Amino acid sequence: MERLIKIETKEKVQRICELATYSPYEVWLSVDDEHLDARSILGLFSLVGKEVHVVVEDDVDRDSFNKLMDAIEAK
């Protein structure tokens, strides 16, 4: 499962990293052929200003994924 988002600020990077750290499943960010573990904050800072795909495994509950995405996209 995946959803496209734009990472506008370093604060959004920090929010993604924090939410991924406490998520009961793995969360990845994908740009082109590059996949980054969303728990690795240093790698994520290179994504500020870019559109990325938030990716989780297909067996993750859709409601859980939607709640994660709502939290990521909250301002």
Side-chain angles (χ1 to χ4, degrees):
M1 207 174 333
E2 66 181 74
R3 188 179 303 172
L4 184 66
I5 64 167
K6 181 159 185 174
I7 300 179
E8 300 94 354
T9 64
K10 65 180 182 176
E11 289 79 20
K12 191 163 192 172
V13 166
Q14 292 169 323
R15 185 168 56 243
I16 291 168
C17 185
E18 182 178 338
L19 291 167
T21 298
Y22 294 106
S23 176
Y25 46 84
E26 291 188 29
V27 180
W28 297 86
L29 299 182
S30 175
V31 178
D32 300 324
D33 291 334
E34 186 177 1
H35 301 283
L36 299 170
D37 184 340
R39 297 172 294 181
S40 174
I41 197 162
L42 291 178
L44 300 187
F45 280 116
S46 68
L47 302 177
V48 173
K50 296 183 180 181
E51 287 189 337
V52 301
H53 292 269
V54 178
V55 181
V56 298
E57 295 200 21
D58 289 333
D59 62 350
V60 170
D61 178 68
R62 185 169 298 281
D63 288 336
S64 177
F65 180 65
N66 287 334
K67 286 179 184 176
L68 172 70
M69 294 308 303
D70 290 345
I72 287 173
E73 294 174 335
K75 295 200 180 212

